[in-house]
């Protein structure tokens, strides 16, 4: 049921419009926002869902000339220049400026719910074929990926190219200097530490890029008999632990710009350089992205000498927490498994394995950006909820 409007009036010397709803609640809308978001054809291009009104033409001190309740489902406003605007009740209600309404809208747009985990992780599993051909399963996959940070897809074919199909399912893959997809296996003169048989410590991929890939996809095509186990840890959960345990260490890691570098030749030749904070935080000080890769952390360090040792001490404490048995989860990929995880949140590693005369372990990898993943998630959500 869409909400009904009981009463509408101008307030605060015409700078606000106050709406009383039939359910007894009240909303206040700034007039500058209402004029900016006029939905008429002159101000809004409906086919593109985009604003046509030029900002330089907007009077930030605008007041209403007249406001009226057209019916219980719509209000109409006449502005000082006689321009007329109409606003649907349902549209207004969703955009109410109350703290509760804003929180509800943000939750609907961004699905911020986060389920933290440690060594007790119950690794979510969904058959690959289901998410490829069933929208409800694809929706469940992406919702779980957003909430938990990791989902294992099972039963894919053991050949290269399955990740390209997965990319098409969500939209498209992220191209990087290592190609649209890349092969994780033991290579002579490896241009990446992942292309060896050695142990890989916990890391996020590609902090050397200004905008690191949001989601990583790893498809197991061949697995070694001994060793090669995968390890993951919830970086947000560990960051919260560090913040409680040592606020000063958290402050150092969330404020110090660390130099990252990656130089070589693959899809093309590259020389990448970037500064990242180990723990990126939002305006509330909450971790929103982990940028930690010990292999590509540069020898160049652009901070005063006296701040170096405190930084190392803070990073060591964070690294110790990452490697704590209570926080890390270990599993072994089987041929046909595709692990999908949040590269901004989940740090991953690998146990070493023996090299041989032929390739004994082969994973194909790819990236996707969160913008692409969230776009598909919103579209699937709308489709499925409207169906209900």
């Amino acid at each position: 049921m869409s909400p009904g409007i009981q009463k509408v009036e101008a307030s605060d010397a015409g700078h606000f419009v106050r709406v009383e709803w039939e359910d007894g609640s009240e909303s206040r809308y700034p007039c500058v926002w209402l004029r900016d978001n006029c939905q008429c054809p002159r101000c809004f291009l409906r086919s593109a869902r985009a604003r046509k009104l030029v900002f330089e033409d907007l009077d930030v001190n605008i007041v209403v000339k007249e406001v009226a309740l057209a019916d219980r489902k719509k209000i109409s406003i006449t502005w000082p220049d006689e321009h007329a605007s109409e606003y649907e009740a349902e549209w207004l209600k969703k955009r109410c400026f109350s703290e509760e309404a804003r929180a509800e809208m943000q939750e609907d747009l961004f699905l911020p719910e986060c389920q933290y985990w440690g060594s007790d992780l119950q690794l979510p599993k969904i058959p690959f074929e289901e998410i490829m051909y069933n929208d409800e399963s694809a929706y469940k996959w992406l919702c779980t990926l957003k909430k938990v940070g990791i989902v294992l897809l099972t039963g894919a074919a053991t050949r290269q190219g399955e990740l390209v199909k997965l990319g098409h399912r969500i939209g498209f893959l992220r191209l990087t200097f290592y190609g649209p997809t890349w092969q994780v296996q033991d290579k002579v003169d490896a241009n990446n530490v992942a292309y060896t048989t050695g142990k890989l410590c916990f890391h996020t991929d590609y902090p050397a890029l200004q905008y690191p890939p949001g989601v990583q996809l790893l498809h197991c095509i061949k697995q070694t008999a001994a060793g090669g186990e995968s390890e993951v840890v919830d970086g947000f959960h560990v960051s919260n632990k560090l913040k409680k345990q040592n606020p000063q260490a958290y402050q150092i890691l969330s404020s110090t710009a660390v130099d990252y570098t990656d130089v070589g030749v693959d899809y093309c030749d590259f020389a990448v350089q970037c500064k990242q904070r180990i723990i990126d935080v939002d305006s509330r000080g909450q971790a929103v992205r982990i940028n930690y890769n010990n292999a590509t952390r540069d020898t160049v360090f652009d901070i005063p000498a006296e701040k170096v040792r405190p930084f190392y001490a803070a990073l060591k404490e964070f690294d110790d927490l990452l490697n704590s048995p209570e926080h890390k989860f270990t599993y072994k990929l089987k041929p046909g498994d595709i692990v999908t995880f949040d590269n901004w949140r989940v740090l991953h590693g690998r146990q070493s394995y023996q090299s041989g005369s032929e390739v004994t372990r082969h994973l194909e990898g790819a990236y996707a950006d969160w913008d692409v993943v969230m776009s598909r998630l919103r579209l699937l959500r709308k489709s499925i909820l409207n169906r209900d």
Side-chain angles (χ1 to χ4, degrees):
M1 286 284 291
S2 56
I5 299 172
Q6 186 74 37
K7 180 183 177 184
V8 61
E9 64 181 7
S11 67
D12 298 79
H15 286 287
F16 282 81
V17 168
R18 189 172 71 87
V19 175
E20 290 182 15
W21 301 95
E22 288 180 343
D23 63 6
S25 63
E26 181 182 300
S27 302
R28 292 173 73 246
Y29 299 96
C31 287
V32 65
W33 176 83
L34 286 166
R35 182 63 191 89
D36 182 42
N37 290 286
C38 174
Q39 300 291 290
C40 84
R42 276 178 56 193
C43 300
F44 189 77
L45 182 60
R46 197 159 297 279
S47 61
R49 299 185 184 182
R51 186 182 290 106
K52 287 171 65 178
L53 180 66
V54 180
F55 195 81
E56 63 197 61
D57 294 339
L58 181 68
D59 176 7
V60 298
N61 297 309
I62 197 167
V63 295
V64 296
K65 182 179 179 182
E66 293 176 13
V67 57
L69 185 57
D71 54 48
R72 298 289 184 193
K73 299 297 182 185
K74 188 187 297 182
I75 70 169
S76 61
I77 293 176
T78 303
W79 302 101
D81 63 357
E82 300 302 326
H83 186 82
S85 303
E86 287 188 339
Y87 305 90
E88 301 285 342
E90 185 175 7
W91 185 92
L92 283 169
K93 187 71 168 174
K94 283 183 177 179
R95 290 157 180 81
C96 174
F97 283 86
S98 73
E99 191 172 341
E100 296 79 12
R102 286 188 288 117
E104 187 176 330
M105 177 59 90
Q106 293 304 300
E107 187 170 324
D108 187 54
L109 290 173
F110 297 105
L111 284 79
E113 185 183 359
C114 193
Q115 182 179 308
Y116 300 118
W117 47 267
S119 59
D120 58 346
L121 171 67
Q122 300 295 309
L123 183 60
K125 299 178 182 179
I126 305 175
F128 175 73
E129 291 296 315
E130 278 191 22
I131 67 102
M132 288 299 295
Y133 301 108
N134 181 281
D135 282 355
E136 282 84 358
S137 294
Y139 176 61
K140 180 184 176 185
W141 165 45
L142 297 181
C143 277
T144 308
L145 180 62
K146 183 71 173 66
K147 181 178 176 180
V148 182
I150 184 169
V151 179
L152 186 70
L153 306 179
T154 60
T158 53
R159 58 172 179 260
Q160 290 178 216
E162 297 301 280
L163 296 186
V164 173
K165 296 179 187 175
L166 197 56
H168 289 154
R169 182 64 169 116
I170 58 173
F172 51 89
L173 297 173
R174 164 85 175 265
L175 177 64
T176 71
F177 290 110
Y178 292 93
T181 67
W182 23 273
Q183 311 309 314
V184 183
Q185 56 194 47
D186 188 21
K187 299 177 183 178
V188 178
D189 296 327
N191 64 349
N192 190 294
V193 293
Y195 303 161
T196 68
T197 61
K199 173 183 170 63
L200 294 181
C201 55
F202 282 124
H203 64 284
T204 58
D205 271 23
Y206 246 146
L209 293 179
Q210 199 74 252
Y211 187 75
V215 173
Q216 185 163 169
L217 317 165
L218 286 172
H219 175 207
C220 182
I221 295 171
K222 190 175 184 179
Q223 182 61 282
T224 182
E229 287 83 1
S230 300
E231 297 178 321
V232 287
V233 61
D234 185 346
F236 289 173
H237 181 46
V238 171
S239 294
N240 289 338
K241 288 281 190 78
L242 179 68
K243 191 175 184 180
K244 290 178 184 175
Q245 180 177 300
N246 190 337
Q248 180 61 24
Y250 186 88
Q251 194 278 328
I252 289 171
L253 295 184
S254 61
S255 62
T256 305
V258 176
D259 294 87
Y260 283 101
T261 186
D262 197 16
V263 178
V265 180
D266 201 298
Y267 187 70
C268 65
D269 51 348
F270 54 89
V272 183
Q273 202 73 34
C274 190
K275 290 179 181 290
Q276 303 278 14
R277 289 158 186 82
I278 299 292
I279 303 174
D280 262 345
V281 298
D282 61 16
S283 58
R284 300 167 298 136
Q286 187 68 32
V288 292
R289 191 172 80 199
I290 309 299
N291 306 292
Y292 181 36
N293 190 315
N294 205 51
T296 58
R297 187 165 50 80
D298 204 351
T299 53
V300 172
F301 200 9
D302 185 21
I303 67 171
E306 61 272 13
K307 292 188 175 183
V308 171
R309 197 203 60 78
F311 168 81
Y312 273 88
L315 185 56
K316 182 71 166 72
E317 190 162 348
F318 181 58
D319 193 82
D320 286 346
L321 283 172
L322 292 173
N323 284 283
S324 167
E326 68 177 300
H327 294 144
K328 65 180 179 180
F329 176 79
T330 304
Y331 65 103
K332 189 163 184 174
L333 289 169
K334 301 192 297 290
D337 285 346
I338 300 176
V339 64
T340 64
F341 59 92
D342 183 347
N343 186 55
W344 290 2
R345 170 183 173 184
V346 176
L347 296 90
H348 63 289
R350 179 193 70 208
Q351 294 180 12
S352 62
Y353 64 97
Q354 287 292 316
S355 60
S357 55
E358 60 179 45
V359 172
T360 58
R361 186 179 189 270
H362 179 194
L363 308 184
E364 183 170 41
Y367 300 118
D369 280 328
W370 267 118
D371 288 326
V372 177
V373 175
M374 287 301 297
S375 169
R376 181 57 55 199
L377 175 49
R378 292 184 191 105
L379 291 169
L380 287 168
R381 179 184 175 85
K382 183 179 180 182
S383 168
I384 289 164
L385 293 183
N386 284 352
R387 199 182 304 164
D388 296 340

